[in-house]
Amino acid sequence: MSLAPRALRRAASAATVTLLFTAAACAPQPEDKTDDKASGSASKACARGELRTETAGKLTIATDEPAYEPWFKDGKPANGKGFESAVAYAVAQRLGYGKGDVVWQIVPFNKAFAPGEKTFDLDINQVSISAERKKAVDFSSGYYDVRQAVIALKGSKAARAKNLDGLKGLKLGAQVGTTSLNYIDDVVRPTRQPAAYAKNDQAKSALKNGQVDAIVTDLPTAFYITAAEVTDAKIVGQFENQGGTPEQFGLVLDKGSALTPCVTDAVDALREDGTLAKIEKQWLSDAVDAPVLK
């Protein structure tokens, strides 16, 4: 059976990389000149006319449905409102694509970083960068430093928890495949089996209905849930970053994508020129400090 064009391109690229690596290993490398050439090649490859996107002249960006606030506004990723929508369009602009050149695609959260060829150029959906996920997909550099937080109904036993020990005997829940669920398993280590839900909406319903004592989400989402969706709930506290390294959201790309260095350069430039900070201030200003659970 013949290979698809994209697969052939990848096979050819792999062979080329192997030959180049062999040649490089056998020949002396003048440091300054080599670095200059590599930099020039990367810049050229990231020029809009050189980008190999899913659809020529377009940038296909994926996210899940529903698109939650404060990451998106009114459930419409294409409107440019909400933190991640604004970041997506800022990255697109750095890559040379106007708003009309961006095509949005619906991709379930877990499918975005599952093994297999992707139908999108990049995905933005609060996906935390991890070594395990990097086995299946590429990530850009981080566009947001995040912490996980615990939400419980006001007046409940869970709402009175002051530390990790106060959470251990509770029934906790989170969306499946998320670092929120990982924090329950690896940090809290509860005595009761945590509940895993396909969507955050299901986790919120379980909290409302008393099926779980508390749920875990990222901190900005926790502020939005308690302010606008489950108003009789409160943020119990947030977790410290594991190992002292900030958890970061990254843009997801196909494994070995030629776009990865270009998208990373775009994110880095947006961080350096203050654009990411401005977008964060505009859309995540309510995500202030919460008590740290230790």
Side-chain angles (χ1 to χ4, degrees), residues 5-15 117-118 254-257:
R6 191 169 181 178
L8 286 171
R9 287 200 302 269
R10 287 185 178 175
S13 298
E117 190 169 327
K118 308 307 177 191
D254 205 356
K255 187 67 177 175
S257 172

Side-chain angles (χ1 to χ4, degrees), residues 2-277:
S2 62
L3 291 172
R6 191 169 181 178
L8 286 171
R9 287 200 302 269
R10 287 185 178 175
S13 298
T16 302
V17 169
T18 302
L19 289 172
L20 289 173
F21 179 80
T22 303
C26 298
Q29 302 296 311
E31 292 182 6
D32 293 339
K33 292 183 179 179
T34 301
D35 290 344
D36 289 343
K37 288 181 180 178
S39 177
S41 298
S43 298
K44 182 180 179 182
C46 292
R48 181 180 175 184
E50 301 295 327
L51 292 176
R52 293 181 291 172
T53 56
E54 288 290 329
T55 302
K58 302 290 184 180
L59 188 68
T60 302
I61 303 179
T63 196
D64 201 355
E65 187 179 50
Y68 299 104
E69 296 194 26
W71 312 107
F72 300 93
K73 186 74 173 174
D74 302 323
K76 299 176 181 178
N79 64 15
K81 299 177 181 179
F83 179 77
E84 289 194 327
S85 181
V87 168
Y89 281 115
V91 169
Q93 186 175 30
R94 292 289 308 190
L95 295 174
Y97 294 90
K99 192 170 182 179
D101 300 320
V102 174
V103 178
W104 286 92
Q105 185 180 102
I106 298 171
V107 174
F109 179 80
N110 284 333
K111 190 175 180 181
F113 51 85
E117 190 169 327
K118 308 307 177 191
T119 57
F120 53 77
D121 295 311
L122 57 95
D123 178 279
I124 185 165
N125 191 25
Q126 306 110 66
V127 182
S128 296
I129 301 169
S130 73
E132 183 63 28
R133 290 172 178 171
K134 281 184 176 180
K135 294 176 183 177
V137 295
D138 282 355
F139 280 97
S140 70
S141 53
Y143 60 86
Y144 180 67
D145 296 354
V146 66
R147 284 194 176 191
Q148 300 298 317
V150 180
I151 305 169
L153 296 180
K154 296 174 182 176
S156 66
K157 179 181 178 182
R160 296 191 293 272
K162 302 296 183 184
N163 49 41
L164 295 178
D165 285 341
L167 300 173
K168 287 189 181 297
L170 303 178
K171 181 70 174 179
L172 305 175
Q175 184 176 345
V176 68
T178 61
T179 51
S180 301
L181 188 58
N182 291 343
Y183 267 78
I184 294 175
D185 290 331
D186 302 335
V187 178
V188 180
R189 298 178 182 177
T191 56
R192 301 173 65 182
Q193 182 69 27
Y197 300 96
K199 302 277 187 180
N200 259 338
D201 278 347
Q202 296 173 355
K204 288 182 290 186
S205 295
L207 179 64
K208 288 180 182 179
N209 298 331
Q211 295 169 305
V212 292
D213 298 309
I215 61 174
V216 177
T217 71
D218 59 78
L219 186 57
T221 298
F223 273 98
Y224 180 75
I225 289 174
T226 55
E229 296 183 316
V230 189
T231 55
D232 58 341
K234 62 171 286 187
I235 296 175
V236 179
Q238 61 178 309
F239 296 112
E240 291 183 303
N241 287 313
Q242 291 181 290
T245 303
E247 178 185 348
Q248 291 186 313
F249 291 157
L251 299 166
V252 181
L253 300 97
D254 205 356
K255 187 67 177 175
S257 172
L259 294 178
T260 301
C262 304
V263 175
T264 289
D265 286 349
V267 172
D268 289 344
L270 293 171
R271 185 178 291 278
E272 289 169 9
D273 69 12
T275 299
L276 288 181

